[in-house]
Amino acid sequence: MNQAMDQERVTQKYPTIERKPLTLTINGEKIGPIEVPITMLMIDFLHEYLDLTGTHFGCGQGVCHACTVMVLHDDGSKSESRTCVFGAHYFSGKNIVTIEGHAKEQEGKLVLTPIQQAFIDNFSFQCGYCAPGFVAGATVFLDQLNRTPVKRAHLEKAIEDALNDHICRCTGYVRYYEAIRDVALATPGCVID
Amino acid sequence: MKKLRYYDRPKRRSGLIRLIVWLLIIGVIFSLLVLFGVFKQDTVSESAKSPLPQAEQEALIPRGKELALAGDCFGCHSRSDGEKGAGGVPIATPFGTIYSTNITPDKDFGIGDYTREDFHRALKDGVGKKGNLFPAMPFVFTHITTDRDLDALYAYIMSIPPLQVPNAKNSGVFELPVRPFMNFWTLLNFPDRKVPIDENRSDVWNRGAYLVEGLAHCGACHSPRNFMMGVKFSDALAGGFESGMAIPDIRAERLAKNGYSVADLTQYLSTGIAPEGSSFAGMNTVTHFSTSQMNLSDVKAMATYLLTDSKGKLLTPEQSPIVYNQVVGRMKQGDREKGREYYMAACAGCHGLQGEGTPNVAPSLSHNAIVEMQDPQTFIGVILHGLQTTNYTNGQRMYAMPGFNGELKPEQIADLLTWIRAEWGGIDQGISTKEVDKAL
């Protein structure tokens, strides 16, 4: 009885939620076509439809960058995108990687990416709320370094510029930036003299 | 056969040659006269030729400070990462780049050796100690400033800390000794303007007129320019074009149509944020350094002047809210539909499902004067290239807008803009992919 009343109330309040089919690739897996409301934000789609809750909802205004995911482009390049300000349909046809998709399974074991491992080795985060965004941001930055290496003297500045938008309230960035610097120095082709 | 003698030659031909020769001679003489400045304006008053008594000059400093804010002197004469008045801001022109100069009272690098008379000449006639100023300096506007106010400005500028910062070298044609040739420009583009004093109108209007048409030099960006880059005073404040952006028409009729009242326009100028939009790019320099720092009564006077039409009627905004999506019935629904979906996917997260915006993050698009502009150039540019995080008074700000160049295809951006303009701008003219490509 109650359930029927609830349903009726919802129907009255939202007589028609406009939906559209959505197709995209997430963590290498093809999703859809699936009917998604045209005004639904990407982070809600990840959480509610796919149960991918590792992407964190922070400020909800596109400022803190906790909700950042990685976009893989056809030319092999990577970029960052916030999911709390862009709709699910903005990612239509795109290929994205959420925090759940960075580590890869090898011989039955999940192996972290060099960035993820460095964040742990350096104790880069405490509460971990911003960590998924930092992983996406740092991975994109390393990809850019691979394409256009920087001089050793400019590395710290380049890290700060690239990750500047990502907000962390626990560790004060130092350990994040040190971890990224370690990976950049250890990866051939990222830093030139 | 009779031999032709020199005086027997056909009269007509010799007359034509003679005429051409004479015209050439007159032309050369006239040009030389212009070049040597015979036709130049000299409007510096006799009284300004002797220095002011020290005590009187010092008493004028506070007033001069206010006037320097109204004129936004430091908006152009300071770099954002440099010190106040040190100059060095690049101003790009089709003929090369001019750098603003050091206007601190340093004797070697600034204008420390300017006398009261020199200072008056620079702001009234556009002539500096090293010759003509380039019209990047808005002397066609500051020309109307009263002697008393020029004295106050002089007193203030001479009181700021002198900085030993050398002027940057101009590039392009401005590297050449072209200053004397500016006489031709001033002859054609520098009318002897007067303050639009009207005794039948209120003191507030008159004060606003003095500021808007003079020191505040609103028309330097908001008026169209001719091919010599001279201000078209016949079309004053009808909108201009600057750094790839269309600059809005700010005549009373247009402002009222955009929804501006004196209160809203005063709010816009004194805080940078109003229901009709928030200042960005060059106008943010103006609201940040100039109008937000001015006396509120002066800002209100400027708003009053701007909202008064040519007949002297203070216009009030059109009834709001205007339901634009009913006004635009002529557009085919299908043309607009695609854009709406892009809006929901790419823009609504910050600018809101109803275009209402998010405070301190993203401005509203409904009732936004830039969206309502007929010329879409500025709007297209913002969507393609984004905007930096912008700060306003009282710690308010708008967060950075990402550029969508490469993220959305030109045809998608065209559809998106077409829908937004129809929905909230009341404009039923679609935007083509070509127009988007042009702004790339």
Side-chain angles (χ1 to χ4, degrees):
Chain A
M1 181 66 185
N2 263 346
Q3 220 177 350
M5 275 173 67
D6 277 353
Q7 189 58 50
E8 199 183 346
R9 213 179 299 151
V10 169
T11 320
Q12 272 176 3
K13 201 169 175 192
Y14 311 103
T16 47
I17 292 181
E18 199 181 344
R19 288 161 218 269
K20 212 172 77 163
L22 171 65
T23 314
L24 76 166
T25 308
I26 299 179
N27 301 332
E29 197 185 326
K30 202 165 171 262
I31 310 282
I34 176 172
E35 290 282 318
V36 180
I38 66 157
T39 57
M40 179 168 262
L41 291 169
M42 183 59 171
I43 192 154
D44 295 330
F45 175 68
L46 292 173
H47 287 183
E48 309 298 332
Y49 279 59
L50 306 176
D51 204 22
L52 291 171
T53 54
T55 301
H56 288 163
F57 182 83
C59 66
Q61 301 183 323
V63 178
C64 77
H65 285 68
C67 68
T68 304
V69 297
M70 195 162 77
V71 182
L72 304 178
H73 300 281
D74 291 342
D75 63 358
S77 65
K78 299 165 179 166
S79 66
E80 296 178 65
S81 196
R82 290 158 288 167
T83 55
C84 78
V85 286
F86 291 116
H89 287 283
Y90 182 65
F91 296 88
S92 169
K94 289 186 176 157
N95 184 356
I96 71 162
V97 178
T98 67
I99 190 64
E100 291 87 350
H102 283 265
K104 291 280 176 300
E105 221 178 78
Q106 278 174 20
E107 296 158 11
K109 265 180 75 182
L110 211 54
V111 180
L112 297 179
T113 65
I115 282 289
Q116 287 176 308
Q117 192 58 51
F119 283 174
I120 288 172
D121 294 345
N122 281 273
F123 300 99
S124 296
F125 50 86
Q126 278 180 28
C127 83
Y129 209 85
C130 63
F134 267 96
V135 170
T139 309
V140 169
F141 172 63
L142 273 188
D143 176 63
Q144 280 163 2
L145 277 189
N146 257 316
R147 288 158 199 277
T148 44
V150 295
K151 285 191 175 149
R152 175 63 191 88
H154 301 158
L155 180 60
E156 274 82 1
K157 174 84 169 61
I159 294 171
E160 209 177 305
D161 287 347
L163 278 298
N164 193 34
D165 283 337
H166 289 263
I167 291 174
C168 166
R169 291 284 96 126
C170 300
T171 65
Y173 311 102
V174 177
R175 285 160 183 275
Y176 267 128
Y177 292 0
E178 282 175 355
I180 297 167
R181 185 194 60 199
D182 287 356
V183 179
L185 290 174
T187 311
C190 283
V191 181
I192 47 175
D193 286 330
Chain B
M1 205 178 163
K2 201 181 162 195
K3 206 180 158 191
L4 269 177
R5 295 189 193 163
Y6 75 94
Y7 50 77
D8 288 334
R9 281 186 204 141
K11 275 248 161 67
R12 223 169 139 205
R13 203 171 139 211
S14 115
L16 192 67
I17 290 174
R18 226 184 272 176
L19 188 71
I20 290 170
V21 169
W22 272 113
L23 280 176
L24 275 175
I25 290 169
I26 291 169
V28 168
I29 291 172
F30 179 72
S31 298
L32 285 172
L33 287 174
V34 172
L35 206 57
F36 287 110
V38 173
F39 300 106
K40 237 150 93 173
Q41 295 195 44
D42 184 4
T43 56
V44 176
S45 59
E46 271 315 304
S47 60
K49 289 180 180 166
S50 52
L52 267 185
Q54 191 64 23
E56 203 179 326
Q57 185 163 323
E58 272 172 24
L60 280 170
I61 291 175
R63 182 189 173 124
K65 187 177 179 184
E66 274 171 33
L67 292 163
L69 289 170
D72 200 8
C73 309
F74 300 114
C76 283
H77 284 284
S78 320
R79 288 166 59 106
S80 54
D81 56 350
E83 288 196 78
K84 190 164 112 179
V89 176
I91 296 156
T93 77
F95 316 107
T97 301
I98 302 171
Y99 290 87
S100 68
T101 52
N102 184 337
I103 54 161
T104 66
D106 186 85
K107 287 246 190 296
D108 300 317
F109 300 104
I111 57 167
D113 59 347
Y114 269 53
T115 62
R116 180 187 179 197
E117 181 188 353
D118 295 333
F119 189 83
H120 276 242
R121 182 160 293 120
L123 269 79
K124 287 200 86 156
D125 299 335
V127 179
K129 286 199 86 157
K130 285 174 193 141
N132 288 326
L133 301 178
F134 293 122
M137 166 74 191
F139 55 79
V140 293
F141 294 95
T142 57
H143 174 72
I144 66 167
T145 311
T146 62
D147 283 357
R148 194 70 183 151
D149 284 351
L150 287 173
D151 284 341
L153 272 168
Y154 178 67
Y156 170 64
I157 296 287
M158 288 302 155
S159 76
I160 65 172
L163 296 170
Q164 297 208 321
V165 179
N167 286 327
K169 222 170 160 231
N170 296 333
S171 75
V173 72
F174 302 109
E175 275 181 84
L176 307 169
V178 286
R179 287 191 190 273
F181 292 93
M182 294 318 294
N183 283 346
F184 292 99
W185 189 91
T186 43
L187 186 68
L188 296 166
N189 295 298
F190 187 16
D192 185 12
R193 300 172 67 232
K194 303 276 183 264
V195 190
I197 294 171
D198 189 336
E199 280 165 9
N200 297 323
R201 295 190 188 175
S202 66
D203 289 348
V204 176
W205 183 92
N206 277 294
R207 177 69 181 160
Y210 173 65
L211 288 169
V212 168
E213 298 299 337
L215 272 174
H217 62 283
C218 307
C221 291
H222 285 281
S223 294
R225 286 174 183 264
N226 60 26
F227 70 98
M228 292 173 281
M229 297 185 66
V231 177
K232 272 193 197 165
F233 285 105
S234 54
D235 267 340
L237 307 179
F241 203 82
E242 202 77 44
S243 326
M245 280 202 267
I247 311 289
D249 177 349
I250 53 165
R251 288 174 298 184
E253 293 78 10
R254 183 68 239 179
L255 288 173
K257 209 159 185 224
N258 285 138
Y260 279 110
S261 58
V262 171
D264 280 10
L265 195 52
T266 306
Q267 184 191 332
Y268 178 83
L269 292 170
S270 58
T271 67
I273 297 182
E276 292 76 16
S278 48
S279 66
F280 60 95
M283 191 61 198
N284 187 254
T285 308
V286 176
T287 60
H288 188 77
F289 289 106
S290 169
T291 52
S292 68
Q293 307 300 309
M294 288 166 68
N295 283 337
L296 200 60
S297 60
D298 277 348
V299 179
K300 211 173 159 185
M302 286 167 65
T304 305
Y305 171 71
L306 286 168
L307 273 163
T308 305
D309 73 5
S310 53
K311 295 188 190 78
K313 191 177 169 225
L314 184 67
L315 300 186
T316 44
E318 292 196 355
Q319 254 191 344
S320 76
I322 304 164
V323 185
Y324 282 129
N325 49 9
Q326 288 176 6
V327 178
V328 187
R330 276 175 290 171
M331 266 173 103
K332 276 187 281 173
Q333 191 67 20
D335 288 351
R336 298 175 44 193
E337 207 50 16
K338 278 178 289 177
R340 184 175 70 96
E341 286 175 6
Y342 298 138
Y343 178 82
M344 294 306 167
C347 319
C350 297
H351 291 286
L353 295 176
Q354 310 293 328
E356 72 276 21
T358 308
N360 284 299
V361 174
S364 70
L365 297 180
S366 70
H367 305 294
N368 189 308
I370 298 294
V371 176
E372 292 169 9
M373 273 177 85
Q374 195 66 40
D375 186 333
Q377 197 72 16
T378 303
F379 197 16
I380 295 174
V382 169
I383 292 192
L384 284 174
H385 310 301
L387 289 172
Q388 291 178 325
T389 296
T390 310
N391 294 304
Y392 302 92
T393 47
N394 306 322
Q396 295 201 83
R397 71 176 196 170
M398 290 295 169
Y399 199 62
M401 152 108 180
F404 286 87
N405 182 18
E407 288 290 319
L408 292 173
K409 296 188 193 85
E411 55 267 30
Q412 290 178 319
I413 291 176
D415 285 339
L416 173 65
L417 285 166
T418 298
W419 182 77
I420 295 176
R421 274 169 33 116
E423 188 74 6
W424 296 307
I427 299 169
D428 62 354
Q429 194 187 331
I431 288 180
S432 65
T433 311
K434 225 188 202 168
E435 282 172 287
V436 177
D437 285 337
K438 207 177 80 186
L440 273 172

